[in-house]
Amino acid sequence: GQNNLNAKLVLLGDMGAGKSSLVIRFVKGQFLEFQESTIGAAFFSQSVSVNNATVKFEIWDTAGQERYHSLAPMYYRGAAAAIIVYDITSSVFAQSQFACNPNMVMALAGNKCDLEDKRNVTAEEARIYADENGLFFLETSAKTAVNVNDIFYEIAKRLPRA
Ligand code: GTP
Ligand code: MG
């Protein structure tokens, strides 16, 4: 009915940024120190309730490895939302190859925020990048669960309703 919505969501970002870990934290409430690198892509689904509506996310967790990059547009196409994930400890803040699509709700997740002592990307520089590109920004930790549900709830709230 009017209060139920299916939304395709895609996770994008470099290998090892923590895309799978964020999804597994959100869907299963679990975290693995030795999460295996994704091959191709993995599918998950999870529902959230916001503002008297249920949003069922159909989540495509893409593979960050270079050899799978050509597949990403296939998962990106037709998606209602995207989360671009980077690792706050990575030495290069690789700017996303995906321009913001005005028809999509897009989030930037600075993941591994539990590793403050190894931080290389400041929240300020990421926020500026997010503002310039029409993304909303949160720092997350799949390990401690900080802001993980929040990012999915915030997306659910921002999705256009029929
Ligand atoms: P690909 O599938 O290869 O693209 O990688 P990915 O982005 O899915 O990363 P993945 O979730 O496999 O995580 C990579 C490694 O980082 C794993 O060893 C995780 O345990 C670790 N990791 C993920 N998220 C966090 C986090 O928030 N904090 C810490 N400390 N480690 C994390
Ligand atoms: Mg993965």
Side-chain angles (χ1 to χ4, degrees), residues 3-74:
N3 290 331
N4 295 322
L5 181 70
N6 284 16
K8 178 178 166 184
L9 181 152
V10 62
L11 283 107
L12 303 165
D14 287 344
M15 176 183 175
K19 299 175 294 299
S20 300
S21 298
L22 284 173
V23 181
I24 290 165
R25 169 60 75 188
F26 174 57
V27 173
K28 301 182 180 171
Q30 295 170 353
F31 175 77
L32 295 173
E33 289 285 349
F34 301 99
Q35 177 63 42
E36 284 180 35
S37 188
T38 305
I39 295 175
F43 180 79
F44 299 84
S45 79
Q46 176 72 298
S47 295
V48 299
S49 295
V50 286
N51 307 333
N52 301 320
T54 300
V55 175
K56 184 185 179 194
F57 283 118
E58 295 160 348
I59 303 168
W60 285 101
D61 169 24
T62 66
Q65 286 182 49
E66 188 72 42
R67 69 180 119 149
Y68 299 115
H69 280 185
S70 61
L71 296 176
M74 194 168 85

Side-chain angles (χ1 to χ4, degrees), residues 14 24 28 33 42 51-52 56 68 74 76-77 88 94 98 105 107-109 114 116 125 132 135-136 152 155:
D14 287 344
I24 290 165
K28 301 182 180 171
E33 289 285 349
N51 307 333
N52 301 320
K56 184 185 179 194
Y68 299 115
M74 194 168 85
Y76 184 72
R77 201 174 299 129
I88 71 153
F98 299 92
V105 178
L108 180 66
D114 55 290
E116 186 58 46
E125 65 183 300
E132 283 172 351
L135 315 169
F136 78 88
F152 287 92
I155 289 168

Side-chain angles (χ1 to χ4, degrees), residues 85-158:
V85 185
Y86 69 92
D87 175 348
I88 71 153
T89 73
S90 63
S91 52
V92 279
F93 179 43
Q95 313 243 312
S96 170
Q97 56 188 310
F98 299 92
C100 180
N101 182 332
N103 300 314
M104 285 171 74
V105 178
M106 297 188 71
L108 180 66
N111 191 44
K112 309 194 188 182
C113 72
D114 55 290
L115 299 177
E116 186 58 46
D117 54 332
K118 293 187 183 146
R119 176 189 288 276
N120 267 305
V121 182
T122 68
E124 288 74 12
E125 65 183 300
R127 188 174 303 284
I128 289 166
Y129 173 77
D131 287 347
E132 283 172 351
N133 289 280
L135 315 169
F136 78 88
F137 169 63
L138 281 176
E139 287 195 338
T140 58
S141 171
K143 184 169 182 170
T144 66
V146 164
N147 280 344
V148 177
N149 287 347
D150 310 63
I151 204 162
F152 287 92
Y153 274 84
E154 190 56 38
I155 289 168
K157 279 191 218 157
R158 290 174 184 228

